[in-house]
Amino acid sequence: MMPNGTSGTATLVSGNFGGGLIEIAALTALIGSTTAESLVLGNRGAAGLLWGTMSIFGALSVIKACIAAATPGWLHETIGVRSKETDSALGIALTLNDKSLRNRRNAVGVCGVSCQIVKDRSELSEKAQGTAEVREIARQDVYAFDQSVSGILDLIPDEESQNTFHILVPDVYYHEIATRIFWKDWAAILASAVKLVEVFMLWKRNALVLCFIGGCSWIYFFCTSIALQAAGVSRELSGSARERQLDVLAGPLPTPVKAGGQFKMLLGAPYNVRHSKLWRVAWIFGSLVSTASVVTAYMALSSQNPMVFAEWAGFQSLWLALRSAFYHMADNADRVFQHPILLRKEWGGLSQPLKARVRGLVQTLSLYQMHVHPRGFYCYGEDDRTIRDMYTTRLLFPLSTQHRADGVSTSVFISAVLGDTLLSSASFVKGRKFAPLDKYDTCVVIIRTHEGDVAVPAARVMTGTPPPRNPDHVETGFELLLPPRGGANRGKSDCTWWYWIPCVEDLWLEVHSTDLQIRGQRQARVVSGMTLTKHLSSGELYISISELAQVEEIVSNSRLGFEAVQSLLSVIVLSTLPHTPSFANAIDFTGHGNTIGHKSTHRTKGNTTTISTPTSSSKHHNPYSPLPTHPDPIPLNTPLTLPDSRTYISPTLAFCPPLSPTHQILPPPIRNIHINHPQLRKKLLQKLLAAMKRRHGHERSEGGVEKTREKSVESDELGEGDKGVHCGYEGLVG
């Protein structure tokens, strides 16, 4: 009899426990799961995190949401927690750095790149905080935008892409809306204290385990919500949250083997505060607390009497109803961005800081292409990843007379290299279409000379050891003596860069890297076009090109890409006076004597240099003049229509206004220039003084000099705050 009694008791307990698990599991898995997941992901702020966990119904979705939110995006697919809800709430992005290469092995479907920026106020006084510049703190390739950014991007028409930029500006009532939402969130957090009624009733029923479970869970999420709210990371509302912004380039991005498509560029998109460390900590411990609460509740309810179970279930149903009501009435996390105000700007209408941010996106796109390049990220370790100040550009490298012979060895100092990824990225953003692989072997080599750094568009290829010959391929004709572009390589130890830099008199400068290092002092060989063709056609390098014409085509594509890079640099805008025949209309900035000055005086006042010179122009064409930086450059002395008496001068100092030649107005003389840029000031002084020495026979004009006016340039074309260039003029009297 004893064994039979034990068996019956065990069967009763087991049946009660099993029945309770089935009922509770069904309730927690099916009821309120979607709403709970959305709230826990922060779609209603920190208060939503608290109300999403008030009821045990939907607890399994809560646990899954916490795990997904606390896990890096590149692991979502691996552990099976990726969903539309998590993508919409948090997005998926991978940081573009050396450590993230292994994380993007399974990443597919990139939809854009972004720069995370923050206002740099570290060196500013309190009075100057409003004029703070921005600095980049992260660059990412994006595989899913969150709902705030994607909603704003949807408002940008698809046809507005080329040379068009959209800037998000806050609503004039932004602070009022933010303040109202802020206090509503505090009220919702405090209202959750009604949970203590359940704790008290369960304690009164002597259900101490259930009382402890409900109380501990509520206390944790209550304290976490208060911390998030007090830290200003509950929503994108606080001042500290608005300090961080995102600049976004969205659309089909180009890769080294594929041309891009229609894109959208958005500056000043809201940064998702739920990427902060405090949210991640809240989700990590929240998943542990929720899991422990569910498991303990299963075990405790199996031994409770029906009255306690009914009371507990009644409270859970009440919290479920209140949670649904909160979800319906609370403002969404992106409430202040549901009706965004977008300013549409052309390139000329951007201020200098905004132009710098556009260049940052170009650099981010270039970095993304390095990460997905068939050659491998390690091949681009020495490529310049930033668009720096302007360079003195030469179509052909000026070899000295003693080195202008085939086979002569020489030494060059390479200070920087602009690679194919940067050239193609700049061309893409500036709307200059190119076919796939057109930019694959392009580059610009920055060589140090006695005149300074000189930028020369060139060609380069990656070489490696050819694979062993396969007899079967030889017989069937499938052997590749010249491998096509876009292939991989054996690794860093088997790669070498070969550069061909065009020089004068149909000569080429041939230089190669050592252990993928090309910067610094390098030995180069001068070769003729015929010698280069023989070298290429021999198959010794095992590359895709075999004749000089292909190298020349690559160099031509390099020049086009470098023009796009130069067009992203700042344009100097000088206000002008009406044209006076007594003055000349140009200054030689190239150092080749095309324009001669009569006098030159300069003085330094702090960071400002004043140069006064009347000049005379020359119509002789200079084949080594700098490349233009405007898509349709207008040379000097071209009849122009100058609106508002403004003359436009590019970084290469050719007149490039976007105007139509309608009537004769020559560019007026530049008599007094104040430049705060130290490198540009130094270069300008050197070239002007050199021009004066070449014309030392010219006599100084007699007469007095009277300063007429001097003002700062605050052109609408550059935007507010661009006061780095000042100009003034002097008129002759007597």
Side-chain angles (χ1 to χ4, degrees):
M1 294 295 295
M2 189 68 178
N4 292 339
T6 304
S7 178
T9 303
T11 302
L12 179 61
V13 173
S14 178
N16 187 16
F17 183 72
L21 281 180
I22 295 174
E23 296 169 0
I24 298 171
L27 291 174
T28 56
L30 299 178
I31 300 179
S33 59
T34 304
T35 302
E37 181 178 9
S38 179
L39 291 175
V40 170
L41 289 173
N43 289 332
R44 296 296 188 273
L49 175 64
L50 174 57
W51 278 95
T53 57
M54 286 281 285
S55 174
I56 201 171
F57 297 155
L60 298 184
S61 296
V62 169
I63 296 172
K64 181 180 178 181
C66 288
I67 294 175
T71 305
W74 57 273
L75 273 177
H76 284 183
E77 293 281 2
T78 304
I79 63 178
V81 295
R82 183 176 181 180
S83 64
K84 292 182 179 180
E85 287 74 17
T86 56
D87 287 356
S88 177
L90 303 172
I92 294 182
L94 302 179
T95 304
L96 291 169
N97 54 31
D98 300 347
K99 299 179 181 179
S100 66
L101 288 174
R102 65 182 66 181
N103 298 338
R104 55 175 32 86
R105 293 174 180 174
N106 300 323
V108 294
V110 64
C111 60
V113 294
S114 67
C115 285
Q116 183 181 337
I117 62 173
V118 64
K119 289 186 178 180
D120 189 2
R121 302 174 183 268
S122 57
E123 299 180 359
L124 296 179
S125 62
E126 293 184 0
K127 295 182 179 180
Q129 292 291 303
T131 61
E133 298 291 336
V134 299
R135 58 184 175 88
E136 296 180 6
I137 58 176
R139 296 178 179 178
Q140 298 175 319
D141 52 336
V142 183
Y143 297 86
F145 288 106
D146 60 50
Q147 59 185 0
S148 298
V149 177
S150 60
I152 299 173
L153 290 174
D154 290 340
L155 298 178
I156 301 177
D158 293 334
E159 63 273 8
E160 294 184 0
S161 63
Q162 182 173 345
N163 289 329
T164 303
F165 312 93
H166 291 80
I167 306 165
L168 179 67
V169 296
D171 190 276
V172 291
Y173 301 107
Y174 170 83
H175 293 290
E176 295 182 16
I177 298 174
T179 302
R180 184 169 61 252
I181 296 176
F182 176 78
W183 288 113
K184 287 172 64 177
D185 285 348
W186 273 117
I189 292 175
L190 296 178
S192 68
V194 70
K195 178 76 172 179
L196 296 177
V197 176
E198 176 195 352
V199 176
F200 174 76
M201 294 301 296
L202 292 175
W203 174 78
K204 191 174 181 181
R205 292 283 185 182
N206 204 30
L208 300 181
V209 177
L210 293 177
C211 173
F212 179 79
I213 294 171
C216 290
S217 178
W218 175 81
I219 290 175
Y220 169 77
F221 286 104
F222 180 78
C223 295
T224 300
S225 298
I226 290 179
L228 293 171
Q229 187 78 359
V233 294
S234 173
R235 300 171 182 262
E236 293 80 8
L237 300 177
S238 64
S240 59
R242 289 297 297 164
E243 292 297 315
R244 292 193 179 189
Q245 296 178 347
L246 290 179
D247 294 335
V248 175
L249 177 63
L253 301 181
T255 67
V257 296
K258 182 190 71 175
Q262 202 82 7
F263 68 91
K264 300 177 182 180
M265 186 173 291
L266 176 63
L267 304 179
Y271 169 73
N272 196 331
V273 295
R274 283 168 282 178
H275 291 300
S276 64
K277 294 182 179 179
L278 189 56
W279 270 100
R280 178 158 293 184
V281 171
W283 283 319
I284 291 174
F285 288 99
S287 63
L288 299 177
V289 171
S290 298
T291 302
S293 299
V294 172
V295 173
T296 310
Y298 284 177
M299 300 177 64
L301 287 171
S302 63
S303 60
Q304 298 296 330
N305 60 63
M307 288 296 296
V308 174
F309 180 83
E311 187 173 315
W312 175 87
F315 275 113
Q316 303 310 310
S317 300
L318 175 62
W319 307 143
L320 173 63
L322 293 178
R323 182 173 69 190
S324 300
F326 171 81
Y327 180 84
H328 177 72
M329 293 186 296
D331 293 296
N332 204 341
D334 61 346
R335 163 68 176 83
V336 292
F337 303 108
Q338 288 180 351
H339 303 286
I341 301 175
L342 296 176
L343 296 182
R344 181 180 180 274
K345 291 282 188 178
E346 303 293 334
W347 174 256
L350 295 177
S351 63
Q352 296 298 336
L354 290 179
K355 289 181 178 179
R357 290 166 66 170
V358 173
R359 290 193 291 269
L361 281 175
V362 173
Q363 294 158 187
T364 304
L365 179 57
S366 172
L367 190 59
Y368 162 72
Q369 292 196 63
M370 292 181 185
H371 278 76
V372 299
H373 209 292
R375 288 169 173 159
F377 183 75
Y378 49 82
C379 294
Y380 291 86
E382 288 203 331
D383 276 21
D384 229 349
R385 301 182 184 180
T386 57
I387 300 177
R388 304 181 185 277
D389 295 334
M390 63 179 184
Y391 297 102
T392 302
T393 309
R394 295 289 183 268
L395 298 179
L396 304 175
F397 182 69
L399 283 173
S400 58
T401 306
Q402 62 269 26
H403 292 122
R404 297 181 183 179
D406 189 9
V408 175
S409 297
T410 184
S411 178
V412 293
F413 188 93
I414 299 177
S415 57
V417 174
L418 308 183
D420 55 288
T421 60
L422 185 60
L423 300 184
S424 65
S425 299
S427 300
F428 174 75
V429 170
K430 294 299 291 183
R432 305 187 181 187
K433 297 182 179 180
F434 54 91
L437 299 175
D438 271 1
K439 306 293 183 183
Y440 199 80
D441 295 323
T442 58
C443 70
V444 176
V445 183
I446 314 299
I447 303 176
R448 185 166 300 172
T449 66
H450 65 281
E451 297 180 355
D453 286 348
V454 174
V456 185
R460 70 173 179 180
V461 294
M462 175 66 67
T463 65
T465 305
R469 303 189 67 181
N470 191 328
D472 296 334
H473 289 174
V474 175
E475 294 178 0
T476 57
F478 287 110
E479 185 178 26
L480 294 176
L481 299 178
L482 298 176
R485 291 176 179 173
N489 52 63
R490 290 181 171 177
K492 185 176 181 180
S493 60
D494 191 48
C495 295
T496 304
W497 284 114
W498 282 78
Y499 290 79
W500 292 288
I501 306 169
C503 305
V504 295
E505 298 181 4
D506 193 28
L507 295 174
W508 295 80
L509 205 60
E510 185 180 74
V511 59
H512 63 84
S513 65
T514 303
D515 296 330
L516 294 178
Q517 296 180 358
I518 193 64
R519 290 187 177 185
Q521 200 73 28
R522 292 287 162 187
Q523 289 297 317
R525 188 167 68 103
V526 180
V527 296
S528 63
M530 183 177 298
T531 303
L532 179 56
T533 299
K534 291 180 180 179
H535 189 195
L536 295 174
S537 59
S538 65
E540 175 185 348
L541 296 178
Y542 194 65
I543 55 178
S544 59
I545 56 179
S546 59
E547 56 185 3
L548 178 62
Q550 294 174 297
V551 179
E552 292 175 341
E553 181 182 2
I554 295 172
V555 172
S556 177
N557 290 330
S558 298
R559 292 170 181 170
L560 294 175
F562 191 46
E563 287 178 14
V565 172
Q566 287 181 305
S567 68
L568 292 171
L569 294 172
S570 303
V571 176
I572 303 174
V573 180
L574 300 178
S575 299
T576 65
L577 289 174
H579 178 64
T580 305
S582 303
F583 297 158
N585 52 23
I587 298 177
D588 173 29
F589 293 96
T590 63
H592 293 279
N594 287 354
T595 305
I596 306 303
H598 290 266
K599 69 168 186 173
S600 175
T601 61
H602 58 90
R603 61 184 182 274
T604 301
K605 297 179 179 180
N607 291 329
T608 301
T609 297
T610 302
I611 302 172
S612 305
T613 174
T615 57
S616 60
S617 63
S618 174
K619 298 183 180 180
H620 295 291
H621 174 64
N622 178 14
Y624 302 110
S625 61
L627 287 174
T629 63
H630 192 275
D632 300 311
I634 300 177
L636 294 174
N637 297 329
T638 299
L640 302 175
T641 299
L642 303 178
D644 301 329
S645 298
R646 279 196 292 270
T647 300
Y648 298 77
I649 302 182
S650 73
T652 50
L653 303 166
F655 286 86
C656 299
L659 307 171
S660 59
T662 58
H663 58 277
Q664 292 283 341
I665 299 181
L666 295 179
I670 302 173
R671 296 300 313 278
N672 203 13
I673 306 176
H674 304 266
I675 301 177
N676 290 335
H677 195 291
Q679 295 181 356
L680 180 60
R681 183 172 64 242
K682 180 179 178 181
K683 186 176 297 186
L684 181 61
L685 279 172
Q686 292 175 347
K687 294 184 181 298
L688 283 174
L689 293 176
M692 299 305 104
K693 291 180 181 179
R694 287 195 296 269
R695 296 290 295 180
H696 63 278
H698 280 256
E699 298 294 336
R700 178 177 177 179
S701 301
E702 298 181 358
V705 178
E706 178 185 357
K707 181 177 292 186
T708 58
R709 65 189 178 102
E710 179 177 320
K711 67 177 183 177
S712 298
V713 177
E714 298 183 22
S715 170
D716 293 337
E717 295 295 322
L718 287 178
E720 298 180 359
D722 303 316
K723 302 179 182 178
V725 180
H726 305 273
C727 60
Y729 303 89
E730 296 177 349
L732 295 177
V733 296

